[in-house]
Amino acid sequence: MTPKAVFWDMDGTLVDSEPLHEAALIAALHSVGIAPPADLHERVLGIAAWPVYEMLRDEFGLDLPFDDWIVRKYDHYLPMAETLTPRTGAIEIFNELRALGVPQAVVSNSDRLIVDANLRAVGLVYPGMKTVSRNDVREGKPYAEPFLRAAWLADVDPAKAVAVDDSVTGATAGLAAGMKTIFWPEVPMEGPPGAIVINSADELRAQLGL
């Protein structure tokens, strides 16, 4: 059976944008004379802009105010956003669920500016589409609020919804919201306890009853 609603993470789940986020972050760090750590990608995957900034400030000496820093990063990111592509199989599943009338929303830890740019780049924009950005909640993932807001927007009981996310941070948020949570990482890894771990679009289709 298909679920009552499906709520999707964006970066890395619907849109293959994590490499671009990493490239923009590295370029912004180089521009202020900071060498990025070797484990940068795994440390920032799924994490919102503010805690990433705090880590860079506290551990690597980033001395720009947050507003100046985020402008610098997005100045690198946004010109390249038009090159983004969907994650293989994800948007096809999104559109199939939409055709079946299943309520859906995109639930992201990215700022509204990035959510809108990424979804435009991959053509996932339509009237009435529901999206939740980091700017729309008080607490981002790993807290439950982003997914709970999506359930409220869709008028669906969270316990009857499915959350799909590629990061441990996001899957933790889905579990905290009381949703069936599908962890679909970009590379195979263990998920948080309670999440259903998959490694392909075909497995996702099976979990969604398609």
Side-chain angles (χ1 to χ4, degrees):
M1 292 179 61
T2 55
K4 295 293 185 182
V6 179
F7 303 130
W8 299 79
D9 173 57
M10 180 183 68
D11 294 302
T13 303
L14 281 170
V15 182
D16 188 18
S17 52
E18 294 296 357
L20 180 52
H21 276 289
E22 184 178 16
L25 187 56
I26 288 171
L29 286 170
H30 281 313
S31 75
V32 293
I34 295 176
D39 61 349
L40 179 66
H41 179 69
E42 62 189 74
R43 294 189 65 180
V44 303
L45 181 64
I47 307 298
W50 174 256
V52 171
Y53 167 78
E54 288 184 310
M55 181 267 288
L56 295 172
R57 179 195 64 197
D58 297 344
E59 294 187 34
F60 300 96
L62 178 64
D63 61 1
L64 289 177
F66 175 76
D67 288 349
D68 293 342
W69 162 251
I70 205 64
V71 166
R72 188 176 291 256
K73 185 200 169 185
Y74 290 166
D75 278 348
H76 288 285
Y77 185 96
L78 288 169
M80 298 185 286
E82 63 184 23
T83 68
L84 291 172
T85 58
R87 186 174 185 181
T88 302
I91 289 183
E92 290 85 351
I93 294 172
F94 187 105
N95 287 332
E96 187 171 347
L97 290 168
R98 185 182 171 207
L100 292 171
V102 177
Q104 297 178 95
V106 175
V107 183
S108 178
N109 247 5
S110 287
D111 289 339
R112 169 59 55 190
L113 182 72
I114 300 301
V115 171
D116 291 347
N118 285 7
L119 295 179
R120 281 197 306 270
V122 297
L124 195 59
V125 178
Y126 56 86
M129 184 175 183
K130 295 175 175 61
T131 62
V132 178
S133 76
R134 181 63 185 88
N135 305 116
D136 300 320
V137 294
R138 292 167 298 176
E139 294 183 312
K141 303 172 189 177
Y143 296 99
E145 186 181 356
F147 282 114
L148 292 177
R149 178 165 178 80
W152 179 80
L153 289 171
D155 193 23
V156 171
D157 180 351
K160 297 180 180 178
V162 172
V164 184
D165 210 296
D166 73 307
S167 73
V168 171
T169 299
T172 300
L175 292 166
M179 297 179 181
K180 174 182 175 180
T181 299
I182 299 174
F183 179 54
W184 186 19
E186 293 183 275
V187 295
M189 67 178 71
E190 291 186 8
I196 298 166
V197 181
I198 63 168
N199 290 294
S200 71
D202 286 342
E203 290 179 85
L204 179 58
R205 289 178 56 81
Q207 288 292 334
L208 297 176
L210 297 173

